[in-house]
Amino acid sequence: MMPMTVGELARRAGATLFGIEPETTFYRFALDSRDAGPGSIFLAIEGARVDGHNFVELAVANGAVTVVVEHEVEGPHILVENLVEALAKMAGTFRDEFDGTVIGITGSAGKTSTKEFLAAALSPLGKIGKTAGNRNTEFTVPLAWAELKGDEAAMIVEMSMRGFGQIAHLAKFSKPTVGIITNIGSNHAEKVGSVSGVAKAKSELFEALPSEGLAIFEHDCDFAESLRQSANCEQATFGWSTGADAQLTSYEPISWQECKFSIQIDDQIAQATIPTVGKHMAQNATAAILCAVRLGVSIHDACEALAQAELPEMRMQPVSVNGATIVLDNYNASPQSFVAAIETFASLPCKGRRIVVAGEMKELGDESKAGHEVVGVAMAKADFDRVIFYGDEMYFAMDAAKGSGMRSANTSFAKSLDEISNEMLDLQPGDTILVKGSRALELERAFDFLLRVQEAREA
C-alpha cells in the first residue's frame, strides 16, 4: 500500500490518537502480532478464541508503529469504538475515491479461483485490483481498499459468508456495480439453517447492486429463480446448457496443470486454456470471461489472457514426489466441489494406482449426512484403487460408498494424520493421490515427511 499517516487513518476510520503524532507514517497492516514489524500497524482483533489486545505489547516489541484497539491500553495507540465498523468506514472513503468498476464475487465454492480468472480476463483493460489470497472477511476486505494504488481500471472483491448480513456488510462499503455468485451449495449451511439460507445470504450481493449494475450467476443453479428475483438490474448466466448467456460447449483435460475448453457468448465462439484442470474450474473461468466481455473485453482477448491466471495453492495443485503425484485440493471442501474433484481425478490418465485421501466436510449443518453420502456414491462410481477416509462425518461417505458397490478391501478409515502418513509408505512411481477435505483438517501435513524426503534428495 502507499504510505499513510496515522492522522489520515484516524480521519478515515473515525478514530482517536493517543500518544502518537499524526504525521507518523506506516505502510502496512498486521492482523497477527508475529507479522508486525517496522512500518506496520497492528489491528487488535477480539476473536472467539484469541483477543488481539493481549498481544499489543508483543506487536510493538516486534516493531509495529502503533496499534488499533477497542479499549485503552498502555502506550501509544489508536482507539476505535468498534474495529469492524471503523475498518468499514475507512474502506468506504477509499471506495468513494475510486472511479473504476467494482466486481463483488461470492459463492459456496470457486470464489478465489473465479477472482483470479477474472483478474486475468480483465487485464486487457489495464491494471486490476483485487483482494489478495483468501482475504475475504470484514477484517481483510477493507485493507484491500487501503492498498489500492489509484490507477486500477477495476477492483475485484471476494466476499465470504459465515452468516446472514456479512455479505451485506462488505457490499455496503465496497459498493459493487457487478456481482458474481459462482454457485450455491451447503457450505456454512449450519450458520444459516439450510441451503436455502445459504442462497438467501449470498443474495445479499445482488440486493446491493445498483439498477444500472450487472448480476452474473450459474444458469442451472437450483436457486436461479430466487437469485434472479434478488437482483434489480441486468442479469447474465453461465453454464453448460444452451440457455446460458455464456455456454461451455466443450472441455478437454490435458494434464493436472492444464485444460482447454470452448465457450460461446452471443454468436461468438472462442477457446481458452487455463493452468489447472476440472470442469468446475472451466465453469469458474467461463463466469470470468462472461463478466470481462460484458465490461468491454473481447471474448478472444479474455480467453487468451486466462492462460496467465495465477491460481493459489491447494486448488488442484499437483506435487511430484518420488515419481508419484500428490494432488492437493484441500483448501476447502463442499459436496459440490468434492464430486467435481472426484470426476476430474477419474477423467485423467494415471500410470499407477488412483488413491484418494478423503477428509470430512465441515460446517454443513443438517446437510452433512446427505452431503457426505453424495461424495461416497461418487467415490464408488469412480472405482478408485484405494480410498482413505478421515474425520467423523466421513463414516457416512464410507458407508454410502460401500453400499454403492465399493469393495471394502479398497477402503480404510484413518483416525489421525499419522495413520494417513503410514498408509502412504507404499507409494510407487506412477501412483496419483487426490487429497481433498476441509481446510481445518490440514491434510497436507500427512505428506510432510514425503515432501521433506523429496527436498533432501533434490538438495
Side-chain angles (χ1 to χ4, degrees):
M1 60 181 283
M2 301 290 288
M4 186 191 309
T5 66
V6 295
E8 180 183 358
L9 173 61
R11 175 179 59 81
R12 289 180 180 272
T16 304
L17 302 181
F18 286 89
I20 185 168
E21 293 298 323
E23 294 77 18
T24 303
T25 302
F26 70 100
Y27 53 87
R28 69 182 180 90
F29 293 95
L31 282 74
D32 189 316
S33 60
R34 294 168 295 186
D35 296 330
S40 71
I41 278 186
F42 173 63
L43 303 180
I45 299 172
E46 185 175 352
R49 292 179 294 179
V50 178
D51 185 352
H53 293 81
N54 297 329
F55 298 88
V56 164
E57 291 185 9
L58 180 58
V60 174
N62 286 339
V65 171
T66 190
V67 298
V68 181
V69 294
E70 292 181 330
H71 59 74
E72 292 191 28
V73 296
E74 291 186 7
H77 60 273
I78 302 173
L79 181 65
V80 298
E81 184 175 341
N82 181 287
L83 182 58
V84 169
E85 293 303 324
L87 290 175
K89 184 175 182 179
M90 177 198 72
T93 64
F94 285 107
R95 169 63 180 99
D96 290 342
E97 297 167 2
F98 184 69
D99 294 328
T101 300
V102 179
I103 306 103
I105 297 179
T106 191
S108 294
K111 294 184 294 295
T112 304
S113 298
T114 303
K115 177 193 67 181
E116 297 300 336
F117 286 136
L118 181 57
L122 286 175
S123 62
L125 296 180
K127 186 177 178 181
I128 306 299
K130 61 185 179 180
T131 50
N134 64 332
R135 296 173 65 183
N136 55 21
T137 72
E138 65 272 28
F139 293 108
T140 53
V141 170
L143 307 187
W145 282 107
E147 292 164 356
L148 285 180
K149 304 297 185 183
D151 57 349
E152 293 85 356
M155 173 65 169
I156 309 171
V157 181
E158 180 181 337
M159 301 180 177
S160 69
M161 186 284 292
R162 298 188 305 277
F164 293 120
Q166 185 176 24
I167 291 176
H169 171 77
L170 299 175
K172 185 176 181 180
F173 63 79
S174 293
K175 300 176 184 177
T177 52
V178 179
I180 300 175
I181 296 179
T182 58
N183 46 57
I184 301 295
S186 50
N187 302 49
H188 305 304
E190 70 174 9
K191 304 290 187 182
V192 291
S194 65
V195 180
S196 295
V198 173
K200 180 176 175 58
K202 298 293 185 185
S203 295
E204 292 172 3
L205 172 58
F206 285 179
E207 292 168 356
L209 297 176
S211 58
E212 67 275 15
L214 172 63
I216 297 175
F217 55 97
E218 184 184 5
H219 184 270
D220 295 323
C221 175
D222 291 339
F223 297 90
E225 185 55 35
S226 65
L227 294 179
R228 195 179 300 279
Q229 292 178 6
S230 68
N232 184 32
C233 60
E234 180 185 352
Q235 300 166 11
T237 63
F238 59 92
W240 293 89
S241 40
T242 54
D245 294 293
Q247 182 193 0
L248 276 155
T249 56
S250 69
Y251 164 82
E252 181 183 348
I254 300 173
S255 69
W256 278 109
Q257 296 173 304
E258 191 176 37
C259 70
K260 62 181 180 180
F261 59 92
S262 297
I263 179 176
Q264 179 172 348
I265 299 179
D266 300 324
D267 295 327
Q268 292 189 300
I269 299 175
Q271 281 198 335
T273 300
I274 54 177
T276 187
V277 67
K279 287 185 176 181
H280 57 307
M281 286 294 194
Q283 179 158 300
N284 293 337
T286 297
I289 296 169
L290 173 60
C291 181
V293 169
R294 289 290 190 263
L295 293 179
V297 181
S298 76
I299 186 173
H300 296 288
D301 285 347
C303 287
E304 183 177 355
L306 279 180
Q308 305 305 315
E310 298 179 357
L311 298 177
E313 294 182 344
M314 289 188 283
R315 272 89 164 177
M316 303 300 281
Q317 177 192 3
V319 179
S320 179
V321 178
N322 301 331
T325 300
I326 302 170
V327 181
L328 299 174
D329 191 32
N330 57 313
Y331 177 76
N332 220 327
S334 66
Q336 184 180 27
S337 66
F338 217 133
V339 171
I342 290 169
E343 292 175 347
T344 299
F345 190 19
S347 71
L348 285 166
C350 177
K351 295 180 180 179
R353 298 171 298 171
R354 296 179 193 270
I355 301 169
V356 179
V357 174
E360 69 178 323
M361 300 170 286
K362 294 184 176 294
E363 298 186 347
L364 300 186
D366 292 341
E367 308 288 336
S368 186
K369 182 175 184 293
H372 283 85
E373 287 175 342
V374 166
V375 169
V377 171
M379 292 280 194
K381 183 178 179 180
D383 193 26
F384 295 124
D385 296 292
R386 190 161 149 207
V387 179
I388 303 168
F389 296 95
Y390 177 66
D392 290 343
E393 297 293 288
M394 267 294 162
Y395 278 112
F396 296 125
M398 185 170 68
D399 289 345
K402 291 179 179 179
S404 298
M406 180 176 282
R407 291 168 292 174
S408 296
N410 290 12
T411 70
S412 62
F413 200 96
K415 295 183 179 180
S416 68
L417 294 179
D418 286 340
E419 287 189 25
I420 296 174
S421 299
N422 290 334
E423 294 226 31
M424 294 296 104
L425 293 175
D426 66 344
L427 284 182
Q428 302 296 321
D431 289 348
T432 303
I433 308 94
L434 172 65
V435 184
K436 181 72 175 174
S438 285
R439 178 86 288 270
L441 303 179
E442 298 184 314
L443 289 174
E444 70 279 3
R445 290 173 51 203
F447 297 86
D448 282 349
F449 78 102
L450 286 176
L451 297 176
R452 287 195 298 269
V453 170
Q454 177 79 358
E455 291 172 357
R457 289 179 176 176
E458 292 174 353

